[in-house]
């Protein structure tokens, strides 16, 4: 079965062709240049960019897979959660193709795409604990089997990726913040500044909640920069500019706090459900320190760690095609009247 997958839930326009378990193509048009000067995603600009990019991205995905629409058996597109104006572009394009070509169609939950993205690389047996950590989400799921996912907890405020992006803005590092801070942190001292870690006590009752909070940490970094009399690069003068080494130390210390919080809560959840497999997915799973520290814990405690390859960590359509294919293979179909839903639940 060949599935055309389409994803446009946030700021990446993506299309992919999947033939059974093989990714024939995965094309992503980033909008980083559009949002960079704002230090975050501007929803209206995101949907306009999706409109400009969508047709070209789909053509490119077909071309790279060396197929035409005649070779496509079904179409899958993200229908939520995300920015509704963004979601509508990819979803409408997918529905138009399915209608014109009389192809089966399914809508895909973006989070399920991330949850299953690791399967594009290697088969990971259920059940597994999954930490979905991106610019929009920080959630722990107990993936019992395909289509059976139990939410164990999520962030109460900012997502971890959002904290990276906001701290990068404070430090004048541009958008998105994750990759820049990750790189900068390699030359910094993670113990230089002791930023606070929010530790929300997990309940261990039936309604277990393993929650996160990142907004206090973000504010602590901002206060640190302000109280030290430093200025971000845009408006720095020689006396107040942040020294390169200080900048690297702030980046490393902030990152260490994020990784501590993500892994502490994940380890508590891992013990609670007695998981032997731990999956980390979503944009922040590209983080080198998170991967390294998670692997150390896996070696120490004897569980298996699975992280998708870099290109399937951040938003992509191959994971949407994969999640869609699982539903299509079970004979599921969605009507073309299906709508985009900003807060679609898994
Ligand atoms: O999954 P994704 O592409 O989009 C969402 O669904 O949000 O994730 C994007 C997020 C951004 O916040 C970005 O700063 C973060 O992932 N990110 C990283 C890294 N690469 C991307 N965060 C930390 N370290 C990285 N290497
Ligand atoms: Zn995502």
């Amino acid at each position: 079965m060949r599935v055309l997958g389409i994803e446009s839930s946030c700021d990446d326009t993506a299309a992919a062709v999947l033939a059974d378990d093989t990714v024939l193509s995965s094309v992503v048009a980033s909008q980083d240049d559009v949002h960079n000067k704002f230090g975050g995603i501007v929803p209206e600009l995101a949907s306009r960019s999706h409109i400009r990019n969508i047709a070209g991205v789909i053509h490119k995905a077909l071309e790279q897979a060396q197929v035409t629409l005649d070779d496509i058996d079904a179409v899958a597109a993200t229908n939520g959660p995300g920015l509704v104006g963004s979601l509508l572009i990819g979803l409408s394009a997918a529905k138009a193709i399915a209608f014109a070509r009389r192809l089966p169609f399914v809508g895909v939950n973006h989070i399920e795409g991330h949850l299953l993205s690791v399967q594009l690389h290697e088969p990971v047996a259920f059940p597994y604990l999954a930490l979905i950590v991106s610019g929009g989400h920080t959630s722990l799921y107990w993936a019992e089997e395909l289509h059976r996912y139990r939410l164990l907890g999520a962030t109460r405020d900012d997502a971890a990726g959002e904290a990276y992006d906001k701290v990068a803005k404070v430090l004048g590092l541009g958008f998105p913040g994750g990759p820049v801070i990750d790189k900068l942190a390699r030359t910094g001292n993670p113990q230089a500044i002791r930023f606070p870690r929010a530790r929300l006590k997990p309940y261990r009752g039936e309604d277990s909640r393993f929650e996160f909070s990142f907004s206090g940490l973000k504010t602590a970094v901002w206060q640190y920069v302000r109280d030290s009399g430093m200025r971000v690069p845009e408006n720095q003068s020689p006396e107040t500019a942040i020294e390169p080494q200080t900048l690297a130390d702030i980046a490393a210390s902030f990152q260490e706090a994020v990784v501590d919080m993500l892994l502490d809560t994940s380890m508590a959840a891992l013990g609670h459900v007695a998981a032997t497999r731990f999956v980390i997915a979503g944009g922040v799973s590209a983080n080198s320190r998170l991967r390294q520290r998670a692997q150390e814990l896996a070696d120490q405690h004897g569980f298996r760690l699975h992280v998708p390859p870099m290109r399937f960590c951040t938003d992509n359509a191959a994971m949407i095609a994969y999640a869609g294919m699982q539903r299509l293979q079970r004979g599921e179909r969605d009507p073309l009247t299906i709508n985009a839903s900003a807060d679609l639940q898994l």
Side-chain angles (χ1 to χ4, degrees), residues 7 9-12 41 81 110-111 114 132-137 159-166 168 175-183 186 254-255 258 281-291 310 312-316 319:
E7 150 67 37
S9 65
C10 194
D11 63 333
D12 291 311
I41 296 160
H110 182 81
I111 302 295
H114 278 304
I132 306 301
V133 61
S134 70
H137 308 275
E162 193 179 352
Y164 268 94
D165 296 336
K166 287 177 174 169
F175 174 86
V180 202
I181 291 182
D182 189 351
K183 189 156 172 248
R186 284 177 210 157
F254 158 75
Q255 177 162 280
V258 174
V284 181
S285 68
N287 187 265
S288 59
R289 185 71 177 147
L290 177 62
R291 285 170 172 245
M310 293 293 189
F312 299 139
C313 286
T314 44
D315 286 350
N316 66 88
M319 67 182 193

Side-chain angles (χ1 to χ4, degrees), residues 20-309:
D20 300 321
D21 285 342
T22 311
V23 181
L24 298 184
S25 65
S26 176
V27 176
V28 182
S30 140
Q31 303 178 2
D32 290 351
D33 295 346
V34 176
H35 305 289
N36 192 308
K37 61 176 175 290
F38 302 103
I41 296 160
V42 183
E44 179 62 24
L45 296 181
S47 23
R48 283 164 193 263
S49 302
H50 283 307
I51 292 175
R52 275 195 298 276
N53 291 340
I54 190 76
V57 165
I58 295 170
H59 280 299
K60 209 162 155 189
L62 293 169
E63 202 177 280
Q64 283 185 8
Q66 299 184 321
V67 298
T68 69
L69 280 178
D70 293 338
D71 306 307
I72 297 296
D73 302 309
V75 185
T78 308
N79 70 313
L83 300 168
V84 79
S86 289
L87 285 163
L88 281 170
I89 314 304
L91 183 63
S92 305
K95 289 200 286 192
I97 293 170
F99 178 73
R101 294 278 166 162
R102 299 181 203 285
L103 292 173
F105 169 82
V106 284
V108 171
N109 185 304
H110 182 81
I111 302 295
E112 185 173 29
H114 278 304
L115 266 167
L116 299 178
S117 60
V118 70
Q119 307 285 354
L120 290 166
H121 175 58
E122 53 177 347
V124 179
F126 291 99
Y128 55 78
L129 177 77
L131 171 67
I132 306 301
V133 61
S134 70
H137 308 275
T138 305
S139 312
L140 279 165
Y141 287 94
W142 178 226
E144 288 171 274
E145 57 183 74
L146 198 63
H147 304 140
R148 267 190 63 187
Y149 314 112
R150 187 151 59 92
L151 180 67
L152 299 178
T155 180
R156 286 194 191 169
D157 40 58
D158 291 353
E162 193 179 352
Y164 268 94
D165 296 336
K166 287 177 174 169
V167 163
K169 189 173 180 182
V170 167
L171 299 175
L173 297 172
F175 174 86
V180 202
I181 291 182
D182 189 351
K183 189 156 172 248
L184 198 59
R186 284 177 210 157
T187 55
N189 172 8
Q191 317 303 338
I193 307 144
R194 181 75 195 169
F195 288 125
R197 278 96 169 129
R199 289 218 162 81
L200 307 175
K201 206 162 168 245
Y203 308 124
R204 286 177 194 267
E206 223 171 88
D207 186 28
S208 299
R209 280 284 169 264
F210 295 89
E211 299 184 309
F212 304 92
S213 167
F214 294 97
S215 73
L217 171 62
K218 167 196 70 188
T219 308
V221 176
W222 174 75
Q223 281 170 338
Y224 180 84
V225 171
R226 183 199 59 187
D227 295 349
S228 316
M230 295 184 276
R231 291 287 176 274
V232 301
E234 276 118 55
N235 48 16
Q236 61 182 226
S237 63
E239 315 82 71
T240 55
I242 307 179
E243 293 278 333
Q245 189 55 49
T246 309
L247 196 62
D249 287 346
I250 297 172
S253 301
F254 158 75
Q255 177 162 280
E256 206 62 9
V258 174
V259 172
D260 275 353
M261 285 193 270
L262 288 174
L263 291 179
D264 279 1
T265 305
S266 298
M267 288 309 103
L270 197 91
H272 177 73
V273 292
T276 55
R277 284 171 288 272
F278 180 38
V279 166
I280 314 181
V284 181
S285 68
N287 187 265
S288 59
R289 185 71 177 147
L290 177 62
R291 285 170 172 245
Q292 180 200 352
R293 296 257 323 266
Q295 189 57 56
E296 283 167 14
L297 286 170
D299 296 341
Q300 213 175 315
H301 298 289
F303 60 86
R304 289 287 306 272
L305 173 72
H306 302 273
V307 191

